Amino acid sequence: MAANRHRSRHRPAPARSVVPAKILISALVVALLAGGGYVASTRLLNADGASSDCPDTVTLTVRTGPAVSGPLTQAATGYNEARHQVLGKCVRVKIETVDSGQTALALASGWTEEKYGVAPDVWLPESMSWVAMARMTEAGARNVGTDGTIVASSPVVLAMPRPMAEALGWPDRQLSWADVRANENAADFWSGRGHPEWGGFKVGFANPETSSAGLAAVLNVVASTVGQPSSSLTQAQFSDDLATKGAILSFERGAELVAETDPDLVSAYAGWGKDAPTHMSALVLPESLVYQANVGTLAPAAGGDDDETTGLPPAAVPLVAAYPTDGLVVDEAPYQPLALPVGSERAAAAADFLTALTGPEGQAALNAGGLRSPDRTNAKLTQELGLVPALRTEPRSVLDGKTIDQARRTFLGIHQRGNTLAVFDTSGSMSLLVPTDSQHRTRLRIAADAAEAAIPLFAKDSQLGLWQFSTNLNGTKPYRELVPIGPLNEPVNGVPRDQALITAVNAMKAKGDTGLYATALAAYQELTAHYQPDRPNQVVLLTDGRNDDPTSALTLPQLIQKLKALYDPKKPVEIITIGYGADADQDALRQIAEATGSRSYPAQDPSNIFQVMVSALTDR
């Protein structure tokens, strides 16, 4: 798994100037609100910068995700300006912006300060899905505690540039998840509708690791593909079911953009300016960010302090929202105090800020940022802005945390661009016919057909190479390079690498013995020498037999010892082994894989080799 996949969006506040002692300064504080205008107040500061009527302050740290950060920061700014007090002390709310998936995993793991830093006082994720994931362990359930209070909501919508939506009949015609699944990356979609200048039907969404909207997209595309409601999907489907993995794979590979966060997706769209329709046909977004994109809200920078603002102008081409009838997800943002001592100052501060957020001023600030109230209404969300003020009633539907986590992990395995060396056994036993195959194919032919079907599933910016092995293929060496490791989007001797790989796979011939141990060691050394940071580096080794190379004295214990000595946790390279058929030495293959922190996949039925390959390449 690639290192540093999670990036904190929190930036430390800039240093503040110190006012000389005994000098009182009247400071005008202006906060731009999401709906425009400003609020001003005058503070008298003493020598250390504290308010003269608030000599003591209790700081309440509230952590949220990027999609809610802007409106919540504005609500916190208004709250801080009002100088709320609890137990004789002024309360200052500090907003942290950290991906909610990252926070959920930290809570689920038990949260240690050594690993995750100081825990926030309150967690306010964009969706109850993240709370479910945090609670998937006993430690997480203790950390999160009882159900929080919903303070805002926002449906997940399929946003389209207004000209495109109107060309499809919006607002009467609404885009669905089935439409996305059926038309994603269709090159002639717009030319068939009178707009060849718009190109194909391109989709953008945010990474489900960080985005509840991106997670909803994956769940609903899978549900549309397998023909069942997203609420009935299971952990086992995401870990084991090929149709489910195939749906995610197709969705990810067909996307024009998989952004790191929802705001990143909006920023990319806005950055394309008037050319936006040529870049994207549909964006999966929280409705609140569609509103912000259209009105040009000056939203605070992710992770900024409560008086720090940056933002974007209104999108050159406004977006309109479709509310899919085949799976409308309404994300609800819960206010979750985290294990605060009863009667403490921070517990009192948390309760006071909650009262403010659910009150008229707090709700007005959240609504001004495009979020709906807990009752799912917001009068600012008008059809003129491409939205609807009153949302149709939908029951809350949240999957269990383990299913959500597995869906994210499966997406990660598919989304990561790997550095992969495929190593195929071409020993004589691979020429045996498979008795259960109706086409009377050999083991090697079935494996080659599976590889030919799997190669197009690799993203074009993945790196892939190919070896074969038996015995005496290169002098006394049992292995031979067929295609060197390199990016699929770069040619090999003037031929596209993916085509070179397919040609080489189909040209393999079966003969000789099985030089398994020497090949495994050499392949591991080769990929270690071509290590790529921030990618999964993996040898995928497939064999139908056991080591019987007469030219090599290397034993299994020696191989395992060498692999463990070569393994570098800072630059991890894994050997994924696939035991092909009933004669494969499954125990040796398991030991080889485990020596590099990986897994072995038995394929007892050779006709299932494609499914096993897909699982091996997508599991993380």
Side-chain angles (χ1 to χ4, degrees), residues 353-370:
F353 186 46
L354 174 60
T355 299
L357 279 181
T358 55
E361 292 183 1
Q363 287 294 294
L366 297 177
N367 288 169

Side-chain angles (χ1 to χ4, degrees), residues 419-585:
N419 183 40
T420 305
L421 176 59
V423 181
F424 277 76
D425 183 350
T426 58
S427 60
S429 59
M430 291 291 284
S431 65
L432 296 176
L433 291 174
V434 176
T436 58
D437 184 64
S438 60
Q439 301 175 49
H440 307 292
R441 292 177 296 174
T442 65
R443 291 178 177 178
L444 182 57
R445 183 68 262 160
I446 291 176
D449 289 347
E452 184 172 353
I455 287 169
L457 301 181
F458 283 82
K460 293 301 182 184
D461 51 348
S462 294
Q463 299 214 143
L464 185 59
L466 176 66
W467 283 15
Q468 69 174 114
F469 75 99
S470 57
T471 50
N472 301 315
L473 286 175
N474 184 9
T476 60
K477 293 179 181 178
Y479 50 86
R480 176 167 58 202
E481 179 183 83
L482 300 179
V483 179
I485 300 171
L488 279 178
N489 56 8
E490 290 185 1
V492 178
N493 298 323
V495 178
R497 181 173 258 100
D498 53 358
Q499 187 57 55
L501 288 161
I502 290 172
T503 300
V505 161
N506 286 320
M508 291 188 301
K509 304 296 181 183
K511 65 175 183 178
D513 295 317
T514 307
L516 173 61
Y517 298 163
T519 299
L521 179 59
Y524 192 83
Q525 292 170 326
E526 174 74 5
L527 198 60
T528 299
H530 291 86
Y531 178 84
Q532 292 287 315
D534 298 326
R535 291 175 181 255
N537 290 260
Q538 52 203 11
V539 174
V540 178
L541 187 152
L542 179 148
T543 181
D544 73 334
R546 58 187 62 244
N547 185 73
D548 58 359
D549 181 4
T551 66
S552 174
L554 184 66
T555 65
L556 180 60
Q558 290 171 338
L559 171 63
I560 299 305
Q561 183 180 22
K562 288 178 180 292
L563 290 175
K564 288 181 177 180
L566 289 170
Y567 182 79
D568 182 353
K570 295 181 179 179
K571 294 182 178 181
V573 174
E574 299 180 351
I575 300 181
I576 299 171
T577 57
I578 300 176
Y580 183 40
D583 299 327
D585 189 347

Side-chain angles (χ1 to χ4, degrees), residues 35-177:
Y38 63 89
V39 174
S41 66
T42 302
R43 289 184 184 174
L44 295 179
L45 304 181
N46 58 23
D48 61 3
S51 174
S52 60
D53 58 352
C54 286
D56 296 314
T57 300
V58 55
T59 298
L60 182 75
T61 302
V62 180
R63 177 175 288 197
T64 192
V68 174
S69 178
L72 183 62
T73 300
Q74 296 300 338
T77 297
Y79 177 89
N80 289 341
E81 289 296 321
R83 302 180 202 169
H84 286 246
Q85 295 191 27
V86 296
L87 304 180
K89 292 186 177 182
C90 281
V91 180
R92 177 181 179 273
V93 173
K94 177 184 178 183
I95 303 300
E96 288 183 347
T97 307
V98 178
D99 302 333
S100 292
Q102 179 180 352
T103 303
L105 289 176
L107 290 166
S109 70
W111 196 298
T112 58
E113 288 192 10
E114 293 78 12
K115 188 171 183 180
Y116 300 108
V118 178
D121 301 310
V122 176
W123 183 34
L124 206 162
E126 302 95 327
S127 171
M128 290 294 296
S129 294
W130 301 126
V131 177
M133 199 172 82
R135 283 178 167 160
M136 66 183 173
T137 65
E138 291 184 8
R142 288 194 302 270
N143 281 328
V144 175
T146 58
D147 286 344
T149 302
I150 303 300
V151 298
S153 62
S154 189
V156 176
V157 300
L158 298 172
M160 297 186 72
R162 184 181 283 267
M164 287 183 168
E166 290 175 342
L168 295 183
W170 182 88
D172 298 326
R173 169 76 167 86
Q174 297 274 319
L175 203 64
S176 68
W177 295 113

